[in-house]
Amino acid sequence: MRVMGVALGFVLLYGVGAVLGWVVLPVVRLLTQDRVRGQHRCQRIVARALGVMVWYITSVGLYSTGIFTSTGKAKDEMDVAPGSVVIANHPSLLDVVLLKAALGRGVIVVKPAYYFHPLLGLLAWCCGYIRGGSSLARGMQVIREAVSRIAEGSTIIIFPEGTRSPADGLRSFHRGAFRIAEEAGAPLAPFWIGCRPRVLGKGQGLRGYPNHRVKLDAFELWDDSHILVTNARASASEWEQRYNSIRSAGGMERCT
């Protein structure tokens, strides 16, 4: 039954995404003369829709979700300044749902498969999301677009691993997120995403879904809200080591 509940959640997610992308958001963009303002409105609408998704998975008993400080204190909302670069590890398919719903307005760096998706591609365009890619040229374009979005007042959400984490650890961090923060002079807002037990990870699918609630939590990894990047290479290495230390210790749930 739980597997059916999760499957229904994804059907609703894609269905609502298609309606927003093909009907609601284009109308919002057409009725809003200013491009940036229109993108921000679309981002907020998507965040509210994802908030409904979070409500669904918690209300039917599939997940429990929470937002916590670095010391483990529960919070009602994320305290992230506009124009920040949000980074996180990526254990689960629903990580971006949790982050985006809690942040509200924000720009996601999405895979080309989602950017050109027949159901969700127009949604990504309306919101001003940035198409990622594996080539060097595309990576440089992502940095330029992200810096431009930050100058327009948007927060950037990006996973330094590039895709979901493997079951046995973390992938190497790409420097793109840190280059964006450095070039834009934007504060870094790092989060640890805890998913216990590990579900919907890379290659998992719905097989082996547990018969109890999954804990999906976001932990802030800062005490000072102004973490500035002055050297992208060094910062990427530093934060990769810190995330690996947290993982080795059993996650923030064990560290707090």
Side-chain angles (χ1 to χ4, degrees), residues 48 65 89 100 137 197 205 236:
R48 292 191 187 102
T65 63
N89 59 313
K100 189 70 172 67

Side-chain angles (χ1 to χ4, degrees), residues 167 194 202:
K202 195 71 172 177

Side-chain angles (χ1 to χ4, degrees), residues 8 18 24 28 31 44-46 52 56-57 72 86 97 117 122 147 161 179 197 203 229-230 233 244 253:
L8 176 60
V24 179
V28 172
L31 296 179
R44 285 192 290 267
I45 292 170
V46 170
V52 173
Y56 166 78
I57 62 176
V86 172
V97 173
H117 194 281
L122 191 54
V147 170
E161 295 174 87
R179 283 280 304 277
V229 176
T230 55
R233 183 188 296 271
N244 272 307
E253 303 91 331

Side-chain angles (χ1 to χ4, degrees), residues 152-215:
E152 294 168 349
S154 289
T155 293
I156 302 297
I157 304 169
I158 185 169
F159 297 102
E161 295 174 87
T163 188
R164 279 172 288 170
S165 312
D168 58 350
L170 299 175
R171 301 180 192 277
S172 297
F173 278 20
H174 300 296
R175 294 197 298 271
F178 307 94
R179 283 280 304 277
I180 293 165
E182 181 181 8
E183 293 192 13
L188 200 66
F191 285 89
W192 173 265
I193 304 294
C195 185
R196 292 178 175 272
R198 180 74 174 273
V199 296
L200 300 179
K202 195 71 172 177
Q204 273 189 291
L206 294 176
R207 289 177 296 178
Y209 199 88
N211 292 320
H212 54 82
R213 284 178 184 262
V214 175
K215 286 182 62 62

